[in-house]
Every structure is written in structure tokens, then in C-alpha cells.
Amino acid sequence: MEILSCHSAPCCHVANLRGKLHGKSSSPRQLKLSAVRKRGVWEHGQPKILMFAILHPPNSKLGYLMNSNLGHCCLNDLYRNRASQSCYNLKRLRNSNLRVFASHDSYVVDDEEGLRSVAESGEQATKVLIPGLPDESNGDGGACISSCFWEWKPKLNVYYEKSGSENVNSPPVLFLPGFGVGSFHYEKQLKDLGRDFRVWAVDFLGQGMSLPSENPTPFKNTGNSDGGNSVWGFGDKTEPWANELVYSIDLWQDQVRYFIEEVIKEPVYIVGNSLGGYVALYFAACNPQLVKGVTLLNATPFWGLLPNPIRSPRLARMFPWAGTFPLPASVRKLTEVVWQKVSDPRSIAEVLKQVYADHSTKVDKVFSRIVETVQHPAAAASLASIMFAPQGQISFKEALLRCQVSNVPVCLIYGKEDPWVKPVWGFQVKRQLPDAPYFEISPAGHCPHDEVPEVVNYLLRGWIINLESQGFVALPLLDNPESIHYDISRDVEFLREGSRRSVKVRFFGSRFSLWNRISSHIATHFEGLRIKLNSK
């Protein structure tokens, strides 16, 4: 049994295709694919994937399959991100007046005749089999992850993790976490995508392992300085290094900028979930020269309760305190009440249950790391600073507009069953950026990168390759360049711990209509109610 697929992981192979014209057709699906041998479906515990490309001269209806050294090196090296080799081969293909259209559909056939019949039928395949995550039980642990600290300013040490450092010519990718978590939330991306790219994930200051190691506001009476968690940040006087410290979105945007300039040292693809998505977009809007592309994973479209002093100076003066240290005594009682609730392991477990649509997802590591973080003596005061920090200097909508004006590529990957950032928020972004690829995954909640990492990694990998090849390789799940205008739905399957899983992925094209989408949703809802009533 053979499986045909494309946009495969580095472990997949291009094989068994001959550089031979098999037939003419206006549709690549109607080609006769008779030069495929039978092979086993498993190799090293993973499904054997056969990747193919359909090449044809522009403005021509003639299509053919090819497996010359040129085609093999181009696609295989591109997915492995051997940048210099890939670019060289892409130039050779361009010079030969050919273009690659990578089909992302998967077919399962048991012989040559079956494969031929599928190809000739012209039917649209909706199931796509994609690679799973690195499997340690099969000796594939994925890329190695390194833990590091970077001193941004005195006493402000930023924790980050990285992988794929050996991929010297590959694109750099930076992941930004959501509120309350850290770089550990991207372990599945670091291990998997680190095999192809150079990958970093940082902890925002005031969160994760980037909490301060020293109290920014010690008490004059040293007898109180070693008190409980609530003592940190409520001292008598601010230390010089924390004079203007406030854990705001503007601080995190600055942190990201300096991290890229001083650690990564080149423009990056930046990916953010929830709060991290807002920061990623905000950063790209302010620093387009440092960004190759932005991916939003259920990005929160708002952050901060108090007005920004630069945008609304008069309104901001009505609030004499806005998250700076030391925290006023009036905030201390409120912080203690809120902290007692949010730091309770039962509350943490309940929140995780809310944001993960698939409750079979293992969140033990995430749970333990969050519990570990809330036990830090600086955690409660840091939360108070975050809660009362001002809004950013530009809004989410303004950041989208700036990215659009600066031609910053944006990709949207949203979990449909998110209880916090409902699908309507993603649709609003899509309406403002109609050309941005929008992939909706179901079932998936607020953290799709951790809940369905196989799918998110597949889409990220394909989107980056599409940009790196300047559109020469099609977006994941699309049949051809024209598909980018239309809505497409695919059943995406993958293996996890020996079991096959499946999710629905919808791609919303550039002709997306928010009103049509809402109307369709309402119609589907009422149709479901009608069926229930008729069944009674």
C-alpha cells in the first residue's frame, strides 16, 4: 500500500517517480500515474510517505511528473531547509520556465491500477495524512533543546530555549507564549520544527522563568524582607534597576526587539499564541524590518485595562498608579484575594480543562510547570503589575493595519473551539487582511500548538516554505495557486502514540466574506435544531 502526500516532514522521501510525460490534462488530477511501485506502509514505526510534484510550464495545460535529480533535490532540500542548495535549485527551475504545484491531498491505494483509477477519476480527495511528532520510542527524540538565560538589563534576565542551531542556513523562528505560561509550552515545536529551522522560544519578563531573582522593593526593616509571597513588590522603596519597571505589553515588545537584535541577530518568523500573538503583531507593526512573517495562534485582540499615557494622557492621569513598583498598599489586599484563587492547583487544572477542547490531551507537564511558576515569591506581585499595566501604544486593529501597509506576511491558525478567543475574532482579522492564509482547526481550543501540534507544525512548516520559495511551493492543503481564493475543507489525519487521530482543517480564501460565514453558521445551527425537534 502506498500513500501519496506532499508538504511532508524531513523524514519523508521523494521516490519511485520517473521524469516522463504520462498524459495531457487541464487538471493535474487526471494524469495517469503508472510508474509507482508497491512498498511497505511502515518504516521505522512511521508511515511511508510518497511525495510528488506536478510540474508544468506557465500558461500551459500540459502537466507531468518528474523525478530527475533536479526535482528531487529541490523539494527534498527545501523541506529540510538546506537553504543554499534549495535556492540554487529553485533558480534552475525558474530558469527552465517551470513552476511547482505541490498537491497536498493524500490517497491510499493498494496497487498500480488503484492509483491510476484515483488519478483518472478527477475526484477531490479531502483526507490528508501528515507526519506525527518525533517518537522517542522509535529512537527519534527530535531536535535537542537548550536552556539559556540572556541578561537584557541589570537584574532583568530573560529565560529562553532554542533548538536547531546546527541548521545554519535555515530561517529563524521565534515563538512567544501566552499569559501564565512560558517557553515550555512550545516544547513540541522546538523538538519537531527544530529539525528544519533554527527555533527560539522566550519567557516574557514577569512570567515563566523570567521572574526576577531579587525583590525590586525590599523593606527597610529587614525582618520583613523574607516574608511570604505577598511581600515581594510591596516594600518601601524601589531598587534602581526597577525604577520604571512595569510588566506591560510595551515592555514585552521592547524585550522581543532587543532579543532579536542581540541574540538572533537577523529578521525572524515570529509566532505567538494568545497574549504572545498580540505581542508578535504589535512587534511586527513597530519593527517590520525585523520580521519575515507573523503567525497568530488564537491571538487575543486586546490587552490591558488602564489607558495608555501616550495615547490618552488626560485619561491616564486619572489613574495615579499603573503597575509600577512598589505596589500600593491598597492593591495588596486585592492581590492576595485574586492570587489565592488563581494559584490554587484546582483552579489551574480547571482553566486547562476549559482551553483544551480535546480532554484526552496530556497536559501534565504544562500543569506542573505552571504550578512551579506560581510558587515563585515574585509571582503574585508580578501578576498585580500585569493586571494594572496600561494598554499598548497601538491597538490590535492598528497593529494589523500597520502590518498591512508594511507588507508583513501574516498567517492565521486558530482552534475553533476556543472558549476565550471565539472564531469571530479570527474572522475579523481575516476580513481586515483578506490575503492572509486562515486555517481553522476543529476540534482544537485556545492552544492549538499544544493540543494538535502535528497539524500546527505542518501548517507552519508549509507556510514558511511557501514564503521562502516566494510562492514557488504552494501553501499547505491547497491543490494549486488558484485555490488560495476559495474556502477549502480537509480531514487531516496523523499518528499519535500508535493511534490514528483526525481533525478538520478549513482554509478560508481571499474571497472570504464575514457575513457569509456568519450566515452559514446560523443556518447550520438552526438546521441542527430542526433535526433535533423532528427526531422528538
Side-chain angles (χ1 to χ4, degrees):
M1 181 166 69
E2 287 275 10
I3 297 176
L4 286 175
S5 185
C6 199
H7 259 296
S8 53
C11 59
C12 303
H13 305 284
V14 179
N16 300 328
L17 300 179
R18 299 172 184 170
K20 178 180 178 181
L21 180 64
H22 289 292
K24 289 185 179 182
S25 173
S26 60
S27 171
R29 296 190 179 282
Q30 296 175 1
L31 297 176
K32 294 183 179 180
L33 313 179
S34 58
V36 182
R37 303 175 193 166
K38 292 171 64 177
R39 282 178 180 253
V41 71
W42 298 99
E43 181 176 285
H44 305 302
Q46 294 289 334
K48 184 73 174 179
I49 307 294
L50 179 64
M51 183 170 71
F52 68 94
I54 297 173
L55 307 179
H56 68 80
N59 304 318
S60 170
K61 294 183 179 181
L62 187 66
Y64 57 96
L65 291 170
M66 150 179 211
N67 188 34
S68 66
N69 290 336
L70 172 61
H72 179 282
C73 293
C74 173
L75 290 177
N76 199 39
D77 288 343
L78 187 58
Y79 284 94
R80 286 180 177 272
N81 278 278
R82 294 171 184 160
S84 57
Q85 181 70 30
S86 299
C87 291
Y88 172 66
N89 285 324
L90 285 173
K91 288 178 181 178
R92 291 174 64 190
L93 276 176
R94 286 197 183 94
N95 293 337
S96 65
N97 202 32
L98 296 175
R99 181 163 180 149
V100 176
F101 291 91
S103 174
H104 304 276
D105 294 337
S106 296
Y107 307 94
V108 180
V109 296
D110 55 7
D111 55 22
E112 271 186 28
E113 194 61 35
L115 179 59
R116 188 181 298 110
S117 66
V118 169
E120 291 179 337
S121 68
E123 294 179 1
Q124 176 145 344
T126 60
K127 287 189 177 180
V128 180
L129 177 62
I130 65 174
L133 296 176
D135 188 352
E136 294 184 5
S137 65
N138 291 321
D140 179 15
C144 294
I145 301 176
S146 302
S147 300
C148 312
F149 278 95
W150 163 63
E151 185 180 39
W152 176 23
K153 298 178 180 179
K155 309 295 184 181
L156 295 181
N157 294 317
V158 174
Y159 175 81
Y160 69 96
E161 296 181 352
K162 64 178 181 178
S163 65
S165 299
E166 66 279 6
N167 303 323
V168 292
N169 291 320
S170 65
V173 185
L174 174 62
F175 287 90
L176 304 182
F179 174 65
V181 292
S183 53
F184 64 83
H185 213 199
Y186 290 115
E187 179 183 2
K188 297 166 185 175
Q189 282 66 48
L190 288 159
K191 285 187 175 182
D192 184 14
L193 297 178
R195 299 182 298 179
D196 305 323
F197 310 118
R198 289 170 293 147
V199 183
W200 288 263
V202 302
D203 288 13
F204 289 134
L205 285 169
Q207 301 184 55
M209 294 183 65
S210 292
L211 287 161
S213 57
E214 295 183 19
N215 188 350
T217 59
F219 283 89
K220 292 179 181 179
N221 182 354
T222 56
N224 293 331
S225 62
D226 294 326
N229 289 1
S230 60
V231 170
W232 275 58
F234 292 93
D236 302 311
K237 184 179 180 181
T238 306
E239 291 289 314
W241 61 269
N243 265 335
E244 297 181 359
L245 179 63
V246 53
Y247 295 127
S248 67
I249 195 167
D250 283 307
L251 174 76
W252 297 323
Q253 190 269 139
D254 282 343
Q255 173 191 337
V256 172
R257 177 169 66 90
Y258 281 97
F259 184 82
I260 292 174
E261 290 178 341
E262 297 183 12
V263 178
I264 302 178
K265 299 180 179 179
E266 62 179 290
V268 301
Y269 289 98
I270 190 165
V271 185
N273 170 235
S274 190
L275 166 63
Y278 194 154
V279 177
L281 190 73
Y282 190 173
F283 168 78
C286 298
N287 306 276
Q289 75 283 1
L290 295 177
V291 179
K292 303 185 76 173
V294 178
T295 299
L296 304 181
L297 304 173
N298 290 70
T300 179
F302 35 76
W303 192 261
L305 297 176
L306 303 187
N308 185 279
I310 295 177
R311 293 181 62 190
S312 308
R314 290 185 179 179
L315 191 59
R317 282 195 289 269
M318 297 175 61
F319 301 89
W321 178 75
T324 54
F325 295 93
L327 280 64
S330 58
V331 176
R332 180 169 179 169
K333 184 62 179 177
L334 175 61
T335 301
E336 290 176 346
V337 172
V338 173
W339 187 249
Q340 185 176 9
K341 175 64 176 177
V342 301
S343 63
D344 188 331
R346 292 171 295 183
S347 298
I348 296 171
E350 183 60 31
V351 169
L352 291 177
K353 187 177 179 180
Q354 289 178 20
V355 299
Y356 283 77
D358 181 1
H359 293 163
S360 68
T361 305
K362 294 182 178 179
V363 295
D364 296 350
K365 284 187 178 180
V366 175
F367 174 78
S368 61
R369 291 296 296 270
I370 295 176
V371 170
E372 179 184 344
T373 300
V374 300
Q375 293 173 350
H376 192 288
S382 297
L383 174 65
S385 177
I386 292 171
M387 287 171 56
F388 289 93
Q391 300 170 356
Q393 293 183 28
I394 62 174
S395 67
F396 188 85
K397 188 174 183 179
E398 290 170 330
L400 282 173
L401 180 60
R402 288 196 187 187
C403 286
Q404 187 177 34
V405 171
S406 301
N407 293 318
V408 175
V410 176
C411 179
L412 312 173
I413 303 178
Y414 280 56
K416 183 180 180 181
E417 285 73 31
D418 187 345
W420 296 346
V421 183
K422 298 285 187 178
V424 66
W425 293 109
F427 295 146
Q428 288 187 6
V429 176
K430 176 64 175 176
R431 182 177 62 175
Q432 191 167 341
L433 302 177
D435 292 329
Y438 181 16
F439 299 94
E440 181 186 76
I441 308 171
S442 179
H446 188 61
C447 310
H449 62 285
D450 193 49
E451 190 169 0
V452 280
E454 299 88 349
V455 180
V456 171
N457 293 357
Y458 170 83
L459 297 175
L460 273 174
R461 184 181 273 116
W463 181 66
I464 291 174
I465 290 170
N466 171 262
L467 291 180
E468 288 292 300
S469 68
Q470 298 178 28
F472 203 63
V473 175
L475 285 167
L477 303 182
L478 303 192
D479 301 326
N480 55 65
E482 291 302 314
S483 298
I484 198 169
H485 300 302
Y486 307 104
D487 295 355
I488 294 172
S489 182
R490 295 283 189 264
D491 292 318
V492 177
E493 296 184 350
F494 52 90
L495 289 177
R496 182 187 294 174
E497 298 178 346
S499 299
R500 179 167 291 193
R501 303 289 188 93
S502 177
V503 298
K504 178 81 70 177
V505 179
R506 294 198 63 182
F507 171 82
F508 297 99
S510 58
R511 297 179 184 176
F512 166 85
S513 167
L514 179 60
W515 171 246
N516 289 343
R517 176 60 180 153
I518 294 174
S519 299
S520 175
H521 177 76
I522 294 173
T524 302
H525 177 70
F526 278 106
E527 178 63 17
L529 289 177
R530 185 186 66 79
I531 293 173
K532 287 182 179 179
L533 290 173
N534 290 339
S535 63
K536 290 182 179 180

